[in-house]
């Protein structure tokens, strides 16, 4: 009998916003068509079921609300951010996936960087020099430097306009509305000089490194050792829908103390057979 009561309550909750107390009130007055032999025991089961559903619902609500409140976003750009679409060969859904595919896992500070705009092709890439301040994995040591290449960076639209012949469809007659922008894959801008990051890096040709997952394996660290997302909540939602939880690192760790990510990485490295 209790299962039947719970099923009716569950169906009502799924299909409407009827308050829980009203549901109980209807059950108690016999308005809901529930066949029972022992109303008192069934009423207790119904109350217990309602209580459980209430607690579970509140827990989910408050956990989600706390996560939203703790989320911290730092745009890391002095200019308007323009998102570029990209095809990702592989994306990761947990820290373990990032760690397994990284040649270097470290905390680092960007000590210098250079933007390489290609105005004719309307693209730009950035090479940043990182000084490692803490190493978890890799054939490197503290204070070593590595070069990291990222797609995106600062880009002057006025320079690009010079390569667009006037009078053609899509061309602009003047440059008054053009200026410097920051390009970033899916809204994830490159790292910025002077900032600190927790990074997962994979080695490419000529001793240059890439971020694991292109945009996934990096998250900013502020002066209080709190992790910050470079990606806005709106972009995270869009990226997660279209690319299999693309920004899980930013979504789950932004606003958290760095110790949580440190501990997880250290445990993964300690348990790794390599």
């Amino acid at each position: 009998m209790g299962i039947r009561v719970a099923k009716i309550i569950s169906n009502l909750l799924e299909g409407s916003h009827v308050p829980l107390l009203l549901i109980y009130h209807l059950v108690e007055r016999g308005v809901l068509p529930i066949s029972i032999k022992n109303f008192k025991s069934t009423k207790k089961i119904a109350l217990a079921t309602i209580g459980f559903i209430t607690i579970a619902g509140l827990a989910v609500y408050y956990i989600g609300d706390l996560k939203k409140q703790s989320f911290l976003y730092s745009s890391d750009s002095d200019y308007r951010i323009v998102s570029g679409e990209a095809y990702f060969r592989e994306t990761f859904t947990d820290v373990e996936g990032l760690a397994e595919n990284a040649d270097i896992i470290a905390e680092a500070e960007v000590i210098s960087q250079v933007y390489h705009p290609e105005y004719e092709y309307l693209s730009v890439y950035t090479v940043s020099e990182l000084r490692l301040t803490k190493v978890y994995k890799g054939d490197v040591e503290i204070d070593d430097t590595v070069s990291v290449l990222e797609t995106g960076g600062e880009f002057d639209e006025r320079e690009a306009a010079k390569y667009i012949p006037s009078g053609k469809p899509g061309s602009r007659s003047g440059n008054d509305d053009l200026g410097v922008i920051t390009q970033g894959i899916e809204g994830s801008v490159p790292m910025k000089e002077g900032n600190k990051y927790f990074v997962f890096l994979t080695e490419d040709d000529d001793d240059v490194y890439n971020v694991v997952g292109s945009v996934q394996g990096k998250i900013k660290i502020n002066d209080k050792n709190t992790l910050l997302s470079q990606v806005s909540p709106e972009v995270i939602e869009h990226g997660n829908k279209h690319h299999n939880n693309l920004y899980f690192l930013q979504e789950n760790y932004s606003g958290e103390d760095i110790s949580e990510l440190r501990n997880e990485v250290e445990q993964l490295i300690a348990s790794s057979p390599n």
Side-chain angles (χ1 to χ4, degrees), residues 26-91:
L26 295 175
V27 171
E28 186 178 41
R29 287 181 171 260
V31 177
L32 291 178
I34 305 173
S35 60
I36 53 176
K37 292 182 179 179
N38 189 336
F39 183 77
K40 288 185 178 180
S41 62
T42 305
K43 184 167 67 174
K44 291 179 181 178
I45 295 172
L47 278 171
T49 303
I50 293 170
F52 174 78
I53 294 172
T54 304
I55 293 170
L58 288 173
V60 170
Y61 173 80
Y62 282 117
I63 289 173
D65 190 53
L66 286 173
K67 182 179 286 188
K68 289 179 181 178
Q69 288 179 20
S70 65
F71 184 91
L72 296 176
Y73 166 55
S74 172
S75 70
D76 270 357
S77 174
D78 298 323
Y79 307 103
R80 178 171 58 92
I81 297 174
V82 176
S83 298
E85 294 290 335
Y87 169 75
F88 295 91
R89 290 180 297 175
E90 185 177 16
T91 57

Side-chain angles (χ1 to χ4, degrees), residues 24-167:
Y24 169 67
H25 183 71
L26 295 175
V27 171
E28 186 178 41
R29 287 181 171 260
V31 177
L32 291 178
I34 305 173
S35 60
I36 53 176
K37 292 182 179 179
N38 189 336
F39 183 77
K40 288 185 178 180
S41 62
T42 305
K43 184 167 67 174
K44 291 179 181 178
I45 295 172
L47 278 171
T49 303
I50 293 170
F52 174 78
I53 294 172
T54 304
I55 293 170
L58 288 173
V60 170
Y61 173 80
Y62 282 117
I63 289 173
D65 190 53
L66 286 173
K67 182 179 286 188
K68 289 179 181 178
Q69 288 179 20
S70 65
F71 184 91
L72 296 176
Y73 166 55
S74 172
S75 70
D76 270 357
S77 174
D78 298 323
Y79 307 103
R80 178 171 58 92
I81 297 174
V82 176
S83 298
E85 294 290 335
Y87 169 75
F88 295 91
R89 290 180 297 175
E90 185 177 16
T91 57
F92 305 93
T93 58
D94 53 33
V95 174
E96 183 176 4
L98 292 175
E100 287 177 352
N101 287 272
D103 296 310
I104 293 177
I105 303 175
E107 294 172 33
E109 180 182 6
V110 181
I111 56 176
S112 65
Q113 62 186 173
V114 180
Y115 301 115
H116 296 272
E118 297 178 341
Y119 294 118
E120 186 175 1
Y121 301 101
L122 303 180
S123 64
V124 58
Y125 66 92
T126 301
V127 177
S128 299
E129 197 75 10
L130 272 62
R131 182 179 66 85
L132 307 181
T133 57
K134 186 176 178 65
V135 176
Y136 301 89
K137 178 183 179 181
D139 189 20
V140 287
E141 298 179 354
I142 292 175
D143 286 332
D144 282 354
T145 59
V146 295
S147 296
V148 179
L149 185 150
E150 296 180 88
T151 299
E154 292 183 9
F155 184 85
D156 193 333
E157 294 177 306
R158 293 163 296 190
E159 291 297 320
K162 297 177 183 179
Y163 293 89
I164 303 175
S166 60

